[in-house]
Amino acid sequence: NRFQLEMQTVTLIPGDGIGPEISSAVMKIFETAKAPIRWEERNVTAIKGPGGRWMIPPDAKESMDKSKIGLKGPLKTPIAAGHPSMNLLLRKTFDLYANVRPCISIEGYKTPYTDVNLVTIRENTEGEYSGIEHVIVDGVVQSIKLITEDASRRIAEYAFEYARNNQRNSVTAVHKANIMRMSDGLFLRKCREVAENYKDIKFTEMYLDTVCLNMVQDPTQFDVLVMPNLYGDILSDLCAGLIGGLGVTPSGNIGANGVAIFESVHGTAPDIAGLDLANPTALLLSAVMMLRHMGLHDYGNKIQTACFDTIRDKKVLTKDLGGNSKCSEFTADICRRIQDLD
Amino acid sequence: MAAHSAVLSMSKIIKPFWGGHLGNTVKVFGTTLTSHRNKSSLTRENIPPPAKYGGRHTVTLIPGDGIGPELLNHVREVFRFSCVPVDFEVVHVNSAVETEDDINNAITAIRRNGVALKGNIETKHTMAPSVKSRNNLLRTSLDLYANVMHCQSLPGVQTRHKNIDIMIIRENTEGEYSSLEHESVSGVVESLKIITRNNSLRIADYAFKLAREKGRRRVTAVHKANIMKLGDGLFLQCCREVASGYPDITFDSMIVDNTTMQLVSKPQQFDVMVMPNLYGNVVSNVCAGLVGGPGLVPGANYGHVYAVFETATRNTGKSIANRNIANPTAMLLASCMMLDHLKLYDHASSIRNAILNTMNETRLHTADIGGQGTTSEVVQTIMRFIQSKGQLTSEY
């Protein structure tokens, strides 16, 4: 009972290092699955716009504004290049305020932790990463952590909406309001206010240290976690570590005006770039997250099942997953399974 | 507006150096500036424990809230049974009142006795933001700059990771816990994180000295200097400076998010870790969880003059209070650390061995480590082990 969905455009940013090869792996898999996606490839480098401010190339911005959905590979972090990191530029350009990382244990990729199924939602624009630092006197440095009512409300609302749309049962706010009374106190208050409008979702609050303590003992007790920037950074990487690392973790960034950019969060791995050794799982799972965001759940589930089956089978794993196969072999196996599923 | 408040906050930082508690901080200031490369007065061995009369020590005891009072009662019970020459001066701190009189009394008592054993004092959210965390006040007033936690896999406890042996040294007075916050415009709150050169040098020095003392090979600094370039950058720089004076110890650094990822996959790679306050909170809780939970790990807060011992993860445990199910191990091990500090080494080892032997009996494990034993059963067994070793014990 299949009706042809109209093709949707997605801006693809292959990235640097292993970016191009894993992007083509994903494109190949999507083609095999006959997903109604038309890819528009764009490159993102920092260029100086009028007025001297750094910005992304206008054709990339135009493409994203039109398509609203993006898939991004890893981008090089410049050191002493004079311009800020590309991730930061993208974040500022599209006001990507929420970073969402679903961490689900992958059957077949064994870690000491099984049955992990949680989502970390991290406020991505302010908090400890506001970048405001001063040297007060020689030897005394002050970093400012900024918490605003609007940003806190926005992220809380997104967290509850996400929980509702994805059939999750509870949202936990992670904070340190016993020490940072005013700032985390404000964050917590906003979360509580938003929770009032979502009575169907259970809302709890937990200290950051208690979350860390319990997370490494029993991660199954957590569902959706919402938190400010720094705690989100640490916790989302902690949870990625529980399921196997950044090579298998998907990630999505939600912005204002309906923009959403999904990305792999691992590095560019320049040492294996171009050698057909890379693992496309992280980018693939992020693409699956993207399909779900677009409402194309069937395609998303099909591709995810094929990917997990390949990993569970352990016959064609890439080196980082413990095998010896090439990226192309891994991709081909997934494609084969998708065809078998049809 | 921001500059004005920056000046105000600056005066808050500068004042302690030249006003207020002149004695300790001038000593700190002086020694750190001039002789942080030399050994001498920075190791606690050289400072004699005060408050010792007739061979008996007096130690301040702060019961705190939640499981604190019952666990500390068990500590007293074990000490009484083993005839430990320590008398406790109990100071109650009421977390429900807004005035700071109680905590100031506690601080005075600790200044008098030099050593304290405490439970966690709850910080209620319902009170105004101006009511600061009592525990934090205690640490900063007494300048307990180093929080030391030793996470070791215990043989009797089942965990996902084995062979963990990590020492965590966390800066305990500044960083994100400076309690300097203000609402500059309505709806916008700024919280200041302060990193100073002196405190960073001090904690790095402590870490390397401790590493050398305990024969450890590697010190890892945990930071986020790629984002907080000035703040954590300063911390990292200070660690590197101190590291250059200890060529026998390897020094490396790791970003905090990568650290947590490595801790849950391969914790055996870490040896000694040093870090600022907030990352210390996260890392110490992760490590405590890895070795079996909050009921097992003791923690110590050291300053130049004072030392306060407590459980490492500082939980109040309200939900398990007064139900005889709390795990007394962490608090008892903390009291052993205190006995070591007071140079009562024999008593410390006898109690510690009794605790470790009890830990091997799985049927006695409390709920937090997967068993069904009660607190009193565990304590009774510990006392029986102490008695069986032939130490002098009392009859009560």
Side-chain angles (χ1 to χ4, degrees):
Chain A
N1 219 3
R2 205 156 272 207
F3 55 94
Q4 246 331 346
L5 291 169
E6 61 173 68
M7 296 288 273
Q8 299 191 46
T9 314
V10 167
T11 307
L12 176 68
I13 302 166
D16 309 308
I18 54 172
E21 47 199 292
I22 55 177
S23 301
S24 51
V26 170
M27 285 198 282
K28 188 145 163 274
I29 294 172
F30 268 53
E31 202 187 310
T32 317
K34 299 202 192 39
I37 305 286
R38 184 182 47 236
W39 304 102
E40 216 172 74
E41 268 190 59
R42 291 283 180 271
N43 267 323
V44 167
T45 48
I47 60 173
K48 245 197 169 144
R53 283 180 61 219
W54 290 103
M55 54 184 236
I56 63 173
D59 62 340
K61 182 163 190 312
E62 203 188 305
S63 169
M64 269 303 301
D65 282 337
K66 211 161 32 122
S67 61
K68 300 281 187 200
I69 310 281
L71 184 66
K72 172 180 141 321
L75 289 173
K76 248 193 331 234
T77 312
I79 302 177
H83 64 79
S85 81
M86 292 315 305
N87 292 315
L88 186 61
L89 267 184
L90 278 170
R91 204 174 303 142
K92 289 239 145 75
T93 313
F94 299 107
D95 196 16
L96 300 173
Y97 65 91
N99 178 273
V100 183
R101 255 193 228 180
C103 291
I104 304 180
S105 280
I106 299 180
E107 263 183 77
Y109 188 43
K110 269 202 69 54
T111 60
Y113 300 89
T114 53
D115 299 330
V116 179
N117 188 350
L118 53 90
V119 181
T120 56
I121 298 181
R122 158 193 176 188
E123 205 292 324
N124 219 1
T125 58
E126 54 174 27
E128 298 81 351
Y129 293 5
S130 50
I132 311 171
E133 294 186 288
H134 329 279
V135 178
I136 315 269
V137 282
D138 189 29
V140 178
V141 175
Q142 159 186 302
S143 294
I144 298 191
K145 161 179 166 164
L146 207 62
I147 299 278
T148 60
E149 210 175 295
D150 291 335
S152 305
R153 191 182 333 110
R154 191 165 61 163
I155 193 70
E157 273 169 1
Y158 181 77
F160 280 94
E161 274 301 321
Y162 182 92
R164 197 175 259 174
N165 295 340
N166 288 275
Q167 288 86 43
R168 312 290 303 201
N169 302 326
S170 71
V171 171
T172 306
V174 181
H175 65 97
K176 265 219 84 67
N178 52 345
I179 302 290
M180 286 178 258
R181 306 297 303 272
M182 285 176 82
S183 39
D184 283 356
L186 174 60
F187 179 80
L188 211 51
R189 262 203 317 279
K190 289 294 138 205
C191 288
R192 285 186 195 135
E193 280 174 26
V194 174
E196 293 295 313
N197 300 333
Y198 291 83
K199 293 282 194 201
D200 50 328
I201 315 262
K202 180 159 164 254
F203 173 69
T204 47
E205 331 173 332
M206 213 187 248
Y207 288 136
L208 173 66
D209 39 5
T210 315
V211 172
C212 288
L213 191 56
N214 293 342
M215 184 73 78
V216 295
Q217 292 181 77
D218 181 22
T220 58
Q221 59 185 282
F222 295 104
D223 195 354
V224 177
L225 299 163
V226 64
M227 57 209 116
N229 216 332
L230 176 67
Y231 314 151
D233 193 6
I234 300 177
L235 269 182
S236 57
D237 277 1
L238 179 67
C239 298
L242 295 177
I243 62 168
L246 297 180
V248 293
T249 309
S251 171
N253 298 292
I254 312 295
N257 304 321
V259 170
I261 303 185
F262 298 85
E263 60 176 353
S264 58
V265 285
H266 52 71
T268 51
D271 46 338
I272 56 169
L275 300 175
D276 197 19
L277 294 172
N279 179 358
T281 307
L283 192 63
L284 186 62
L285 290 178
S286 304
V288 166
M289 214 178 139
M290 176 189 82
L291 286 171
R292 294 206 173 106
H293 178 90
M294 294 160 83
L296 300 167
H297 294 274
D298 288 340
Y299 294 99
N301 292 337
K302 195 162 50 165
I303 296 175
Q304 187 178 290
T305 312
C307 180
F308 282 179
D309 284 347
T310 306
I311 296 179
R312 190 184 312 125
D313 214 21
K314 294 200 215 288
K315 293 216 183 69
V316 265
L317 296 179
T318 49
K319 190 133 171 285
D320 61 311
L321 291 174
N324 240 322
S325 305
K326 292 186 176 305
C327 174
S328 43
E329 292 168 355
F330 183 76
T331 313
D333 199 62
I334 298 181
C335 291
R336 185 181 54 81
R337 284 176 200 275
I338 293 177
Q339 280 167 339
D340 290 344
L341 280 171
D342 271 339
Chain B
M1 188 63 180
H4 178 64
S5 30
V7 167
L8 280 180
S9 19
M10 176 174 90
S11 62
K12 248 184 153 177
I13 304 160
I14 301 299
K15 200 163 68 144
F17 285 122
W18 292 304
H21 318 294
L22 198 53
N24 307 332
T25 34
V26 164
K27 209 194 308 180
V28 166
F29 206 79
T31 44
T32 329
L33 274 188
T34 56
S35 65
H36 74 268
R37 289 278 153 78
N38 312 337
K39 53 155 201 73
S40 75
S41 54
L42 287 184
T43 52
R44 52 193 192 281
E45 266 77 313
N46 293 334
I47 302 171
K52 184 175 174 180
Y53 296 101
R56 296 188 66 84
H57 300 261
T58 309
V59 167
T60 309
L61 188 83
I62 303 171
D65 301 307
I67 50 174
E70 67 188 88
L71 292 183
L72 289 169
N73 279 339
H74 287 304
V75 169
R76 280 196 278 189
E77 206 182 316
V78 173
F79 275 25
R80 212 166 20 234
F81 184 79
S82 324
C83 299
V84 175
V86 169
D87 293 316
F88 287 107
E89 182 189 345
V90 182
V91 182
H92 290 279
V93 177
N94 189 347
S95 52
V97 294
E98 292 203 8
T99 62
E100 294 182 359
D101 293 337
D102 276 351
I103 193 69
N104 286 335
N105 288 341
I107 293 171
T108 314
I110 301 177
R111 281 195 215 282
R112 189 168 49 238
N113 295 324
V115 178
L117 189 60
K118 76 182 265 288
N120 199 43
I121 305 165
E122 194 193 342
T123 309
K124 291 191 177 7
H125 288 193
T126 48
M127 313 189 92
S130 53
V131 178
K132 305 213 195 297
S133 158
R134 302 286 178 245
N135 305 301
N136 203 22
L137 269 176
L138 203 142
R139 292 191 289 265
T140 47
S141 311
L142 295 170
D143 201 25
L144 301 169
Y145 64 92
N147 178 278
V148 180
M149 180 171 141
H150 188 184
C151 281
Q152 262 178 319
S153 291
L154 292 177
V157 182
Q158 279 286 45
T159 51
R160 290 183 177 88
H161 307 271
K162 317 265 176 240
N163 299 325
I164 300 176
D165 191 351
I166 307 176
M167 291 210 77
I168 299 171
I169 294 148
R170 159 189 177 186
E171 209 292 326
N172 216 6
T173 53
E174 57 172 22
E176 298 81 349
Y177 288 36
S178 316
S179 300
L180 295 165
E181 295 181 299
H182 47 258
E183 191 162 358
S184 29
V185 213
S186 166
V188 175
V189 176
E190 287 184 353
S191 173
L192 303 179
K193 163 180 165 165
I194 311 288
I195 302 275
T196 59
R197 196 173 157 69
N198 286 338
N199 290 348
S200 305
L201 283 173
R202 190 166 67 161
I203 194 69
D205 212 18
Y206 189 93
F208 277 90
K209 278 220 168 58
L210 192 64
R212 187 173 265 173
E213 212 179 292
K214 305 275 178 195
R216 315 285 274 200
R217 306 275 67 193
R218 212 169 106 231
V219 173
T220 308
V222 177
H223 65 95
K224 190 89 192 157
N226 51 341
I227 303 285
M228 287 182 255
K229 300 187 167 69
L230 290 183
D232 286 353
L234 176 60
F235 181 81
L236 203 53
Q237 196 190 332
C238 294
C239 289
R240 288 206 180 103
E241 272 179 40
V242 174
S244 58
Y246 292 80
D248 51 325
I249 301 180
T250 323
F251 171 72
D252 55 11
S253 62
M254 199 183 266
I255 302 187
V256 61
D257 38 6
N258 190 20
T259 310
T260 51
M261 227 184 323
Q262 297 292 325
L263 276 171
V264 294
S265 41
K266 238 181 349 131
Q268 296 82 5
Q269 62 180 291
F270 294 104
D271 193 358
V272 177
M273 299 167 83
V274 64
M275 58 204 89
N277 218 330
L278 183 69
Y279 313 146
N281 185 296
V282 171
V283 171
S284 54
N285 275 274
V286 170
C287 290
L290 292 174
V291 298
L296 297 178
V297 193
N301 304 289
Y302 294 110
H304 281 301
V305 188
Y306 309 113
V308 174
F309 300 87
E310 54 178 351
T311 63
T313 48
R314 303 171 177 164
N315 302 94
T316 326
K318 272 197 312 243
S319 54
I320 55 172
N322 299 321
R323 284 164 56 188
N324 203 15
I325 53 174
N327 194 338
T329 309
M331 195 58 91
L332 282 166
L333 286 174
S335 64
C336 292
M337 286 177 84
M338 181 190 78
L339 290 173
D340 277 329
H341 181 83
L342 294 173
K343 300 197 202 300
L344 296 168
Y345 302 116
D346 292 336
H347 285 286
S349 356
S350 116
I351 300 177
R352 197 174 281 131
N353 286 336
I355 298 171
L356 293 178
N357 283 331
T358 311
M359 196 50 45
N360 285 332
E361 301 207 15
T362 322
R363 62 173 183 84
L364 283 175
H365 283 183
T366 46
D368 59 310
I369 39 180
Q372 285 161 339
T374 61
T375 319
S376 28
E377 273 172 22
V378 177
V379 176
Q380 292 299 324
T381 314
I382 292 174
M383 295 201 288
R384 224 174 305 131
F385 269 114
I386 297 173
Q387 186 167 48
S388 69
K389 292 290 176 203
Q391 294 263 55
L392 172 68
T393 55
S394 77
E395 273 167 28
Y396 319 85

